[in-house]
Amino acid sequence: MTEDSQRNFRSVYYEKVGFRGVEEKKSLEILLKDDRLDIEKLCTFSQRFPLPSMYRALVWKVLLGILPPHHESHALVMMYRKDQYSDIFHALKVIRFISDTTPQEPEDEVFLAIAKAMEEMVEDNVDCYWIIRSFVNQLKNKYRDSLPQLPKAFEHYLNLEDSRLLNHLKTCSAVSKLPYDLWFKMCFAGCLPESSLQRVWDKVVSGSCKILVFVAVEILLTFKMKVMALNNAEKITKFLENIPQDSSDAIVSKAIDLWHKHCGTPVH
């Protein structure tokens, strides 16, 4: 039996007895023991597998540039980050920078949705602040040109998976009215529960906003019968803005499979 086939056999066995991801967790722990963390390998791992909850915040902080690759610098850098957080928090309280009457901009809506979801995922306030800030900056900078292209990519891949479903959306004039802001600008914050959402954000943090397209496609495929039964854009949009939460884990798992099917699996 080859090394790959042995690994595949063990993975299937672990999954059947309830230890899914045991080998992946061990692989990540090996990567995290390096004196200088290999960013490229951490990205590849995060693209291929869900991050274990106990390591997610650490990996995200490294991939988002909050922490440097060198282990010995982590404690000192986080001390600086904590001081910066405290200074900003204190300053905002002192100058009363915001109030209930402060007008809210569209960008605020995106930021607040992401922040609310992140607060459910990251327990430490300092970590949470820096991860939210860096995550939103990644969307604004790294993905600035990519995010506007996602609706077109969504239409393309939905057509490949189920052209009849796409034609129904077009017939109802619903394609342009789909909740793209909720899906793509907010990265499904407020749409999926945090337990499912964090698996999607693993991929976004590690370099792929295209995963968002396949989550959207899989939502349509999962609720195809319901969507096909609705005959106007407003009803379809309203339903898709409030999808049943109990299907979210399966949707994300199938979306990741679709993503790998169409875009391949990163390997070093």
Side-chain angles (χ1 to χ4, degrees):
M1 188 180 289
T2 66
E3 184 178 342
D4 282 345
S5 59
Q6 285 179 333
R7 182 190 176 285
N8 290 338
F9 174 79
R10 288 196 300 271
S11 294
V12 171
Y13 171 75
Y14 284 137
E15 186 169 338
K16 283 185 176 180
V17 297
F19 291 97
R20 183 178 182 180
V22 167
E23 288 200 330
E24 285 75 17
K25 183 185 175 193
K26 289 180 180 177
S27 298
L28 178 60
E29 288 174 344
I30 291 171
L31 289 177
L32 293 175
K33 286 179 181 176
D34 290 342
D35 290 334
R36 188 183 190 283
L37 299 178
D38 190 316
I39 303 299
E40 191 174 6
K41 286 183 179 179
L42 285 175
C43 282
T44 299
F45 182 95
S46 302
Q47 297 272 296
R48 296 186 69 188
F49 309 111
L51 291 169
S53 296
M54 63 189 298
Y55 297 122
R56 178 169 278 114
L58 171 60
V59 174
W60 282 11
K61 284 190 290 184
V62 171
L63 295 186
L64 290 169
I66 299 164
L67 284 175
H70 295 281
H71 263 301
E72 68 265 18
S73 302
H74 284 189
L76 181 62
V77 170
M78 278 314 298
M79 185 178 75
Y80 290 144
R81 297 293 192 195
K82 186 174 182 179
D83 288 344
Q84 288 173 299
Y85 167 82
S86 298
D87 290 344
I88 293 168
F89 187 75
H90 177 69
L92 289 175
K93 286 177 67 177
V94 169
I95 66 175
R96 297 178 180 177
F97 183 70
I98 58 173
S99 69
D100 292 338
T101 60
T102 303
Q104 187 169 321
E105 303 293 329
E107 291 81 4
D108 297 334
E109 187 180 359
V110 172
F111 179 87
L112 291 172
I114 291 172
K116 184 178 179 182
M118 197 71 80
E119 285 175 352
E120 296 297 321
M121 300 181 197
V122 183
E123 293 183 5
D124 183 86
N125 287 341
V126 177
D127 283 352
C128 190
Y129 165 77
W130 284 106
I131 291 174
I132 291 168
R133 174 175 168 166
S134 301
F135 185 86
V136 171
N137 283 339
Q138 184 186 54
L139 296 180
K140 288 182 177 179
N141 299 317
K142 183 175 182 178
Y143 298 138
R144 179 183 57 192
D145 296 329
S146 301
L147 288 174
Q149 305 302 319
L150 297 188
K152 185 177 180 180
F154 161 78
E155 191 172 336
H156 170 72
Y157 288 111
L158 182 59
N159 185 55
L160 291 178
E161 291 296 320
D162 196 322
S163 58
R164 183 167 170 259
L165 179 52
L166 177 60
N167 286 334
H168 174 71
L169 294 175
K170 289 181 175 179
T171 300
C172 297
S173 300
V175 175
S176 63
K177 297 180 181 178
L178 295 176
Y180 293 127
D181 282 1
L182 178 65
W183 290 350
F184 302 143
K185 289 183 181 179
M186 298 184 186
C187 297
F188 290 94
C191 180
L192 298 175
E194 286 71 27
S195 57
S196 303
L197 189 61
Q198 58 193 6
R199 294 167 57 206
V200 177
W201 287 6
D202 284 344
K203 315 307 179 190
V204 177
V205 168
S206 58
S208 176
C209 66
K210 204 167 185 179
I211 183 62
L212 302 172
V213 169
F214 295 100
V215 177
V217 169
E218 189 54 48
I219 286 173
L220 266 297
L221 295 176
T222 298
F223 298 109
K224 174 181 177 178
M225 298 305 293
K226 176 68 175 178
V227 172
M228 294 290 283
L230 299 173
N231 56 12
N232 72 66
E234 289 72 22
K235 289 181 180 179
I236 291 172
T237 300
K238 186 175 181 180
F239 171 73
L240 293 174
E241 287 176 340
N242 300 279
I243 61 169
Q245 301 285 285
D246 56 1
S247 303
S248 60
D249 281 340
I251 287 171
V252 170
S253 295
K254 291 176 182 177
I256 292 171
D257 289 342
L258 265 186
W259 176 55
H260 286 158
K261 169 186 169 182
H262 288 288
C263 300
T265 304
V267 177
H268 285 294

